[in-house]
């Protein structure tokens, strides 16, 4: 058994080296040796597509019967309010379906019973508050209580997903800003999507210079981010270069720009994932992606921390999450066609993962 | 890919021309060229049946991987109160299953958690209020708040469905009347069914002269509408002519009169859809129809606005929605027989659509 795991680990190392080698062999990239870390830097050109399936295989951990609950990942979604309950559910259940051991949701009190009702698999904390529900003089004490409660859990989490169905209530967003500051101090990675991106676009300092932050904007969210940070319009002629500049300007966060192809940059390299997904654009697919990226970032980080992989874990996590999401969407679409919904795609995550990366 | 879309669009134009040609070739219709718009006018006769399958194919948009979320349609259902929660769910989920990207429900606070619980795919706004829940002196401020909140969203919607499970609370119906006036000012199409028809029958001015309004009465709702507007009884000997007069009297709204055959008129033409559906008359089928018509009206309107189709989009939307609903009901009945329920029919929407209008 031990030997077999050793084999898997050697294969992982080989594959990740292949990825880095890829960077090397193309004239669009060169390698920079920063201490013990080999980093790839893009200097322009079209060869951005990665061997995404190999990367996904490389960072999916072997299933090891000696492990105990929690070791395959504990994810928390911060989101869910009176108006939105589907989005945090999609993100949290996707994390479990990919292989995380535990998936928590921190949401408002109104949202909690509904989200609990979607699935008994999730641990749902009815904790956040919206302005309409509290008095002005309660705000400080409630804010402290929320933070104390989240803090009890913070260091147990391998990654947070901030934003699915969060809404835009100012008091709630203030609390979430505090949660993000605490997560940062505890070095917990964060995947930021949906209303979390609204928050970050208005207060870039929340993530600036934090290499464990991942932003996953769609076309409109990306536009707002470019406007705000680069003070210009989106330039589609030189999209990858602009993405690189944006990620660099936010101090090396990783940005996954969603679109027909997904483009990913950490300010040092740009890579793309173009595996065919689905032409359906029903709401909720972004939530599957954020949950998936969170799991893969956690797994990639584990490999990096053990010295088994030498690459930016947030880049690897984005590549793997994007790949799986696209594969599952294509499998679901094959069956459901125009009527494909987000829940159909979630049901295909396991099968898609097994097709790419069989357990045996 | 572009070429293939071009081909699809040419096919659409050809098919819509065939439909109009149909009008031409039968002695019961003639064409009137009003500026750039060719309109068909019925002058009596039995040849009302359209080539409904071709129309459905023609207005279903090609699935285009370059599109982003929202571009295939954003629908909102105004309905759902303490008593009724199934109807708005049926309408909203049907819109998604046909291919809309986003489906919202605006309902009362009591109804929201229940509707959310039916499916995480819907965005449910707990917004409306019924009289029993508020004090007299709060009415003005609550009414304003409801309207402000709906207004934030209004222009994003491609079509509203007004009425499924709305109930008949006077205060709530006053708020919905205001929502309808705002929708009209924003040129948002409206499909009106169920308690929305109760409201409209009592206040015809809400839709009078608005060509983007669609009424979908069943036998009793139609009777009340004829009594109120034409001040006479339903005349089944000359049903199509009376339907035409009714639609004309309400200033050119489109009426889909549900029955063994569905008859549709905008006051200028009458068409029928008689594709075999199901003999089951379980409650909720009208809600599937209203959600379906909303999606097809939105898609037809998009084609018309781009100059790709030259016909009344509400007529096309009614024909396509009726066709799909009937096909799905027949597929469900084939399997479930006497026990066929509305949820069974909804489950057959995707398969039925694929049979009529395959994606590939």
């Amino acid at each position: 058994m031990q030997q077999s795991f050793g084999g898997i680990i050697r294969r992982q190392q080989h594959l990740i080296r292949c990825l880095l080698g890829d960077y090397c062999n193309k004239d669009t990239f060169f390698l920079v040796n920063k201490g013990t870390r080999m980093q790839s830097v893009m200097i322009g050109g079209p060869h951005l597509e990665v061997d995404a399936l190999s990367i996904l295989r490389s960072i999916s951990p072997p299933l090891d019967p000696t492990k105990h609950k929690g070791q395959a990942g504990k994810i928390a979604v911060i989101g869910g309010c009176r108006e939105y309950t589907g989005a945090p559910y999609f993100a949290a259940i996707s994390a479990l379906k990919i292989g995380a051991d535990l998936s928590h949701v921190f949401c408002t009190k109104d949202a909690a019973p509904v989200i609990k009702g979607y699935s008994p698999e999730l641990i749902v904390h009815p904790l956040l508050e919206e302005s309409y529900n509290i008095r002005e003089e309660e705000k400080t004490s409630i804010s402290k209580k929320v933070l104390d409660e989240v803090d009890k859990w913070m260091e147990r989490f391998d990654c947070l997903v901030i934003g699915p169905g969060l809404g835009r209530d100012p008091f709630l967003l203030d609390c979430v800003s505090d949660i993000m500051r605490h997560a940062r101090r505890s070095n917990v990675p964060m995947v930021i999507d949906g209303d979390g991106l609204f928050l970050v676009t208005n207060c870039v300092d929340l993530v600036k210079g934090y290499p464990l932050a991942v932003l996953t904007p769609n076309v409109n969210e990306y536009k707002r981010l470019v406007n705000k940070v680069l003070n210009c319009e989106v330039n589609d002629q030189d999209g990858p270069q602009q993405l690189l500049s944006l990620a660099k300007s936010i101090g090396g966060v990783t940005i996954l720009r969603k679109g027909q192809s997904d483009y990913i940059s950490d300010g040092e390299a740009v890579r793309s994932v173009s595996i065919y997904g689905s032409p359906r654009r029903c709401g909720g697919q972004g939530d599957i992606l954020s949950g998936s990226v969170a799991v893969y970032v956690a797994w990639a980080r584990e490999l990096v921390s053990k010295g088994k992989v030498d690459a930016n874990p947030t880049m690897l996590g984005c590549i793997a999450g994007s790949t799986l999401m696209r594969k599952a969407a294509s499998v679901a679409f094959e069956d459901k066609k125009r009527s494909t919904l987000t829940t159909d795609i979630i049901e295909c995550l396991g099968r898609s993962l097994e097709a790419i990366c069989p357990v045996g």
Side-chain angles (χ1 to χ4, degrees), chain A residues 146-181:
Chain A
V146 167
L147 214 58
D148 287 349
E149 187 62 28
V150 177
D151 263 1
K152 280 190 214 163
W153 295 89
M154 188 65 84
E155 294 198 4
R156 307 187 209 179
F157 293 130
D158 300 299
C159 193
L160 304 184
V161 183
I162 311 263
L166 196 55
R168 295 191 177 183
D169 179 76
F171 173 70
L172 186 147
L173 291 183
D174 280 349
C175 286
V176 174
S177 301
D178 285 340
I179 293 172
M180 289 173 74
R181 290 186 192 98

Side-chain angles (χ1 to χ4, degrees), chain A residues 83-315:
Chain A
E83 234 166 1
Y84 305 112
T85 50
Y89 162 73
F90 291 145
I93 198 75
S94 297
L96 285 181
K97 295 262 182 182
I98 290 168
D101 282 346
L102 292 163
S103 194
H104 292 244
V105 176
F106 291 85
C107 61
T108 68
K109 288 175 183 168
D110 299 318
V114 177
I115 299 172
K116 286 169 185 283
Y118 292 144
S119 170
E121 311 277 0
L122 306 177
I123 301 164
V124 183
H125 306 257
L127 187 66
L128 304 174
E129 291 278 11
E130 290 177 87
S131 307
Y132 79 91
N133 217 16
I134 53 172
R135 294 193 307 274
E136 194 59 36
E137 61 270 26
E138 294 175 316
K139 285 187 173 173
T140 310
S141 68
I142 288 175
S143 182
K144 185 178 177 312
K145 200 180 126 200
V146 167
L147 214 58
D148 287 349
E149 187 62 28
V150 177
D151 263 1
K152 280 190 214 163
W153 295 89
M154 188 65 84
E155 294 198 4
R156 307 187 209 179
F157 293 130
D158 300 299
C159 193
L160 304 184
V161 183
I162 311 263
L166 196 55
R168 295 191 177 183
D169 179 76
F171 173 70
L172 186 147
L173 291 183
D174 280 349
C175 286
V176 174
S177 301
D178 285 340
I179 293 172
M180 289 173 74
R181 290 186 192 98
H182 280 230
R184 201 171 160 161
R185 279 203 288 278
S186 304
N187 273 318
V188 178
M190 290 184 267
V191 179
I192 298 151
D193 191 45
D195 295 316
L197 287 171
F198 169 81
L199 176 62
V200 160
T201 303
N202 290 329
C203 180
V204 179
D205 280 347
L206 284 170
V207 292
K208 195 164 191 169
Y210 185 49
L212 294 175
V214 174
L215 316 184
T216 55
N218 63 20
V219 57
N220 289 321
E221 291 156 349
Y222 186 72
K223 189 176 181 310
R224 285 194 287 268
L225 207 53
V226 166
N227 292 167
K228 178 71 187 285
V229 176
L230 299 181
N231 203 19
C232 65
E233 292 305 313
V234 172
N235 171 1
D236 275 322
Q237 266 61 54
D238 201 6
Q241 186 59 51
Q242 190 176 44
L243 175 64
L244 186 98
S245 303
L246 182 64
K248 210 182 198 78
S249 297
I250 313 180
V253 301
T254 295
I255 302 174
L256 190 169
R257 181 191 178 183
K258 295 181 279 196
Q260 191 175 358
S261 291
D262 290 340
Y263 285 88
I264 301 153
S265 179
D266 58 1
E268 303 218 3
V270 182
R271 305 310 272 156
S272 65
V273 177
S274 307
I275 290 167
Y276 189 69
S278 144
R280 274 286 275 148
R281 294 289 174 266
C282 51
Q285 296 186 59
D287 307 310
I288 304 181
L289 181 71
S290 64
S292 307
V293 168
V295 176
Y296 284 111
V297 165
W299 287 347
R301 195 164 173 239
E302 173 83 1
L303 288 174
V304 170
S305 75
K306 289 182 174 163
K308 289 174 183 166
V309 162
D310 184 17
N312 183 350
T314 53
M315 285 290 281

Side-chain angles (χ1 to χ4, degrees), chain A residues 280 282-283 332 336-346:
Chain A
R280 274 286 275 148
C282 51
K336 300 279 183 160
K337 301 287 195 293
R338 284 180 193 271
S339 76
T340 309
L341 298 187
T342 298
T343 42
D344 300 316
I345 300 173
I346 289 171

